[in-house]
Amino acid sequence: MDYQEALAYIHAVHWQGHKPGLDRTRALLAALGDPHKRLQFVHVAGTNGKGSTAAMLDSCLRCAGYRVGLFTSPYINRFNERIQVDGVPIPDGDLVRLVEQVRPAASAMTDVPTEFELITALGMLYFAQERCDIVVLEVGLGGALDSTNVIDPPACAVITALGMDHVQELGPTLADIAAAKAGIIKPGSPVVSYGGAPEADRVIADAAAACGAPLTVADFARLTLRGAGLEGQTFDYDGLTGLTLPLLARYQPRNAAVAIEALRALRARGWQIPDSAIRQGLAQVRWPGRFELLRRDPPFLLDGSHNAHGMRATADSLRALFQGEKFVFLVSIMADKDVDEMLRLLLPLAKGFVTVTAPSPRAIPASELAARIEALGGRAEPAGGIPAAVARVWELAAGGPAAALGTLYFSGEVREAVADLAKN
């Protein structure tokens, strides 16, 4: 088996269409020797910010001297980014070897695993074989029934900002969504929550109390932003002063505050994490595709804001960094999102739109998305592909700012197209 065959096996259609549940993941991991039981975890759930928060935790824990696994989704450029050890994506050869190891166990199951369950097992096996001290484990969807939730009580559970997303799977109210996310809370394990939504906060507090899990809610009253620009941000949080963060979005210091509280919770349980490691880890964190400045002059930003909650935060960040300026937006959005609300958030900032169909079967066709923008009073034109779309945005921006928004699924191709355009 070569690398492409391994990827084809992971993405095969026969893994799709199963009911949610943990039994398949447990059975598969048991057949592999329960590698997850040899690991410790920080388990991260949430609607928005969970990937950024996971990246901050990973960076700070590595700066504290630990060997750290990182499990996230989706990827930006290559599938291997989803499974990392000490900041390095799993090598192609190791991925092939693990697929060959997992395939007999998966194929022997009567109720075969889903694709994400298979990837979860691959990650657990790799992290155990690499003898990670701790794994930062990002939930795929929800929490309670997500395949990552097979783990024993983690060193810390983290619930980032909550909003209305995946309502078909998780429920129609914020309380329903919070209940699904709170499913990662386990007896005795500390919980750190972003907070700020009373309806959700009550659900999380009740779940923590029922499990005897000490709960900390990040106190944003103790957060002070000192400076922000295209180089990054400087802020203070609860006794830590002059912290620097290279991530540009206005909301990232809040995610950093959540990460700091989680690291302090770990420290209270015996993990050796000095303030110097927190400071260094935040200063060094990298998280591509999340309010990322691909080009500085003229500015071209890329952000994977994929729901209305995230798009509102992105729009606020654009206003703060580019006061009064209008953008040409390159957009692609999944059909199961609150599309019109996302577009309404962008219209006041828009000089114009170019639409494209991201490489996902759920993506709205570019022509249909352009028509919806026009119906809302905006100016839009569809493009035949991502390179052509980036070139057209560049042309329309005419030296002004531009941004590619709406999904992470086109992030890799957008980054490549902007890089190629800059060479010419």
Side-chain angles (χ1 to χ4, degrees), residues 1-11 95-96 99:
M1 178 183 292
D2 62 19
Y3 176 71
Q4 291 302 326
E5 289 171 329
L7 285 185
Y9 175 78
I10 291 169
H11 299 319
L95 184 64
V96 170
V99 168

PDB file of all heavy atoms in Angstrom, residues 1-11 95-96 99:
ATOM      1  N   MET A   1       0.841  -1.196   0.000  1.00  0.00           N
ATOM      2  CA  MET A   1       0.000   0.000   0.000  1.00  0.00           C
ATOM      3  C   MET A   1       0.877   1.248   0.000  1.00  0.00           C
ATOM      4  O   MET A   1       1.843   1.334   0.758  1.00  0.00           O
ATOM      5  CB  MET A   1      -0.900   0.002   1.259  1.00  0.00           C
ATOM      6  CG  MET A   1      -1.785   1.228   1.389  1.00  0.00           C
ATOM      7  SD  MET A   1      -2.765   1.257   2.917  1.00  0.00           S
ATOM      8  CE  MET A   1      -3.897  -0.087   2.643  1.00  0.00           C
ATOM      9  N   ASP A   2       0.549   2.222  -0.876  1.00  0.00           N
ATOM     10  CA  ASP A   2       1.280   3.483  -0.850  1.00  0.00           C
ATOM     11  C   ASP A   2       0.406   4.552  -0.188  1.00  0.00           C
ATOM     12  O   ASP A   2      -0.711   4.276   0.267  1.00  0.00           O
ATOM     13  CB  ASP A   2       1.721   3.911  -2.264  1.00  0.00           C
ATOM     14  CG  ASP A   2       0.550   4.164  -3.213  1.00  0.00           C
ATOM     15  OD1 ASP A   2      -0.598   4.369  -2.738  1.00  0.00           O
ATOM     16  OD2 ASP A   2       0.772   4.166  -4.440  1.00  0.00           O
ATOM     17  N   TYR A   3       0.917   5.776  -0.141  1.00  0.00           N
ATOM     18  CA  TYR A   3       0.231   6.853   0.579  1.00  0.00           C
ATOM     19  C   TYR A   3      -1.149   7.136  -0.006  1.00  0.00           C
ATOM     20  O   TYR A   3      -2.133   7.277   0.727  1.00  0.00           O
ATOM     21  CB  TYR A   3       1.096   8.116   0.553  1.00  0.00           C
ATOM     22  CG  TYR A   3       0.452   9.331   1.173  1.00  0.00           C
ATOM     23  CD1 TYR A   3       0.272   9.417   2.550  1.00  0.00           C
ATOM     24  CD2 TYR A   3       0.016  10.395   0.383  1.00  0.00           C
ATOM     25  CE1 TYR A   3      -0.326  10.541   3.134  1.00  0.00           C
ATOM     26  CE2 TYR A   3      -0.569  11.518   0.950  1.00  0.00           C
ATOM     27  CZ  TYR A   3      -0.736  11.581   2.330  1.00  0.00           C
ATOM     28  OH  TYR A   3      -1.325  12.679   2.904  1.00  0.00           O
ATOM     29  N   GLN A   4      -1.247   7.228  -1.335  1.00  0.00           N
ATOM     30  CA  GLN A   4      -2.534   7.531  -1.961  1.00  0.00           C
ATOM     31  C   GLN A   4      -3.543   6.414  -1.728  1.00  0.00           C
ATOM     32  O   GLN A   4      -4.741   6.673  -1.527  1.00  0.00           O
ATOM     33  CB  GLN A   4      -2.350   7.779  -3.470  1.00  0.00           C
ATOM     34  CG  GLN A   4      -1.591   9.061  -3.791  1.00  0.00           C
ATOM     35  CD  GLN A   4      -2.250  10.310  -3.207  1.00  0.00           C
ATOM     36  OE1 GLN A   4      -3.474  10.397  -3.120  1.00  0.00           O
ATOM     37  NE2 GLN A   4      -1.439  11.274  -2.788  1.00  0.00           N
ATOM     38  N   GLU A   5      -3.080   5.172  -1.717  1.00  0.00           N
ATOM     39  CA  GLU A   5      -3.977   4.051  -1.424  1.00  0.00           C
ATOM     40  C   GLU A   5      -4.460   4.110   0.020  1.00  0.00           C
ATOM     41  O   GLU A   5      -5.624   3.793   0.313  1.00  0.00           O
ATOM     42  CB  GLU A   5      -3.257   2.727  -1.691  1.00  0.00           C
ATOM     43  CG  GLU A   5      -3.025   2.440  -3.166  1.00  0.00           C
ATOM     44  CD  GLU A   5      -2.116   1.247  -3.396  1.00  0.00           C
ATOM     45  OE1 GLU A   5      -1.216   0.990  -2.555  1.00  0.00           O
ATOM     46  OE2 GLU A   5      -2.295   0.560  -4.421  1.00  0.00           O
ATOM     47  N   ALA A   6      -3.575   4.534   0.933  1.00  0.00           N
ATOM     48  CA  ALA A   6      -3.965   4.673   2.340  1.00  0.00           C
ATOM     49  C   ALA A   6      -5.046   5.736   2.493  1.00  0.00           C
ATOM     50  O   ALA A   6      -6.043   5.532   3.201  1.00  0.00           O
ATOM     51  CB  ALA A   6      -2.748   5.020   3.195  1.00  0.00           C
ATOM     52  N   LEU A   7      -4.867   6.881   1.812  1.00  0.00           N
ATOM     53  CA  LEU A   7      -5.879   7.932   1.873  1.00  0.00           C
ATOM     54  C   LEU A   7      -7.203   7.470   1.265  1.00  0.00           C
ATOM     55  O   LEU A   7      -8.278   7.749   1.799  1.00  0.00           O
ATOM     56  CB  LEU A   7      -5.399   9.187   1.146  1.00  0.00           C
ATOM     57  CG  LEU A   7      -4.345  10.049   1.838  1.00  0.00           C
ATOM     58  CD1 LEU A   7      -4.092  11.306   1.023  1.00  0.00           C
ATOM     59  CD2 LEU A   7      -4.764  10.430   3.257  1.00  0.00           C
ATOM     60  N   ALA A   8      -7.123   6.755   0.150  1.00  0.00           N
ATOM     61  CA  ALA A   8      -8.339   6.254  -0.495  1.00  0.00           C
ATOM     62  C   ALA A   8      -9.089   5.308   0.441  1.00  0.00           C
ATOM     63  O   ALA A   8     -10.329   5.319   0.497  1.00  0.00           O
ATOM     64  CB  ALA A   8      -7.986   5.550  -1.801  1.00  0.00           C
ATOM     65  N   TYR A   9      -8.355   4.502   1.177  1.00  0.00           N
ATOM     66  CA  TYR A   9      -8.981   3.588   2.139  1.00  0.00           C
ATOM     67  C   TYR A   9      -9.683   4.378   3.244  1.00  0.00           C
ATOM     68  O   TYR A   9     -10.831   4.094   3.596  1.00  0.00           O
ATOM     69  CB  TYR A   9      -7.928   2.659   2.736  1.00  0.00           C
ATOM     70  CG  TYR A   9      -8.468   1.767   3.830  1.00  0.00           C
ATOM     71  CD1 TYR A   9      -9.211   0.637   3.524  1.00  0.00           C
ATOM     72  CD2 TYR A   9      -8.257   2.074   5.175  1.00  0.00           C
ATOM     73  CE1 TYR A   9      -9.731  -0.170   4.523  1.00  0.00           C
ATOM     74  CE2 TYR A   9      -8.777   1.270   6.187  1.00  0.00           C
ATOM     75  CZ  TYR A   9      -9.511   0.149   5.852  1.00  0.00           C
ATOM     76  OH  TYR A   9     -10.026  -0.639   6.845  1.00  0.00           O
ATOM     77  N   ILE A  10      -9.009   5.401   3.783  1.00  0.00           N
ATOM     78  CA  ILE A  10      -9.594   6.207   4.861  1.00  0.00           C
ATOM     79  C   ILE A  10     -10.870   6.909   4.390  1.00  0.00           C
ATOM     80  O   ILE A  10     -11.863   6.983   5.121  1.00  0.00           O
ATOM     81  CB  ILE A  10      -8.574   7.254   5.362  1.00  0.00           C
ATOM     82  CG1 ILE A  10      -7.417   6.562   6.090  1.00  0.00           C
ATOM     83  CG2 ILE A  10      -9.235   8.283   6.277  1.00  0.00           C
ATOM     84  CD1 ILE A  10      -6.234   7.470   6.380  1.00  0.00           C
ATOM     85  N   HIS A  11     -10.868   7.402   3.167  1.00  0.00           N
ATOM     86  CA  HIS A  11     -11.992   8.190   2.650  1.00  0.00           C
ATOM     87  C   HIS A  11     -13.048   7.344   1.918  1.00  0.00           C
ATOM     88  O   HIS A  11     -13.973   7.898   1.318  1.00  0.00           O
ATOM     89  CB  HIS A  11     -11.484   9.270   1.693  1.00  0.00           C
ATOM     90  CG  HIS A  11     -10.550  10.260   2.323  1.00  0.00           C
ATOM     91  ND1 HIS A  11     -10.766  10.772   3.574  1.00  0.00           N
ATOM     92  CD2 HIS A  11      -9.385  10.824   1.875  1.00  0.00           C
ATOM     93  CE1 HIS A  11      -9.785  11.617   3.880  1.00  0.00           C
ATOM     94  NE2 HIS A  11      -8.940  11.659   2.871  1.00  0.00           N
ATOM     95  N   LEU A  95       1.714   6.884   8.350  1.00  0.00           N
ATOM     96  CA  LEU A  95       0.284   6.799   8.094  1.00  0.00           C
ATOM     97  C   LEU A  95      -0.047   5.505   7.341  1.00  0.00           C
ATOM     98  O   LEU A  95      -1.008   4.802   7.690  1.00  0.00           O
ATOM     99  CB  LEU A  95      -0.187   8.015   7.297  1.00  0.00           C
ATOM    100  CG  LEU A  95      -1.690   8.075   7.042  1.00  0.00           C
ATOM    101  CD1 LEU A  95      -2.469   8.212   8.353  1.00  0.00           C
ATOM    102  CD2 LEU A  95      -2.037   9.231   6.106  1.00  0.00           C
ATOM    103  N   VAL A  96       0.759   5.174   6.336  1.00  0.00           N
ATOM    104  CA  VAL A  96       0.550   3.929   5.582  1.00  0.00           C
ATOM    105  C   VAL A  96       0.655   2.727   6.517  1.00  0.00           C
ATOM    106  O   VAL A  96      -0.182   1.810   6.494  1.00  0.00           O
ATOM    107  CB  VAL A  96       1.564   3.828   4.426  1.00  0.00           C
ATOM    108  CG1 VAL A  96       1.509   2.439   3.790  1.00  0.00           C
ATOM    109  CG2 VAL A  96       1.300   4.903   3.380  1.00  0.00           C
ATOM    110  N   VAL A  99      -2.445   2.498   8.746  1.00  0.00           N
ATOM    111  CA  VAL A  99      -3.620   2.038   7.999  1.00  0.00           C
ATOM    112  C   VAL A  99      -3.555   0.533   7.794  1.00  0.00           C
ATOM    113  O   VAL A  99      -4.554  -0.189   7.958  1.00  0.00           O
ATOM    114  CB  VAL A  99      -3.747   2.789   6.659  1.00  0.00           C
ATOM    115  CG1 VAL A  99      -4.782   2.111   5.754  1.00  0.00           C
ATOM    116  CG2 VAL A  99      -4.146   4.237   6.893  1.00  0.00           C
TER     117      VAL A  99
END
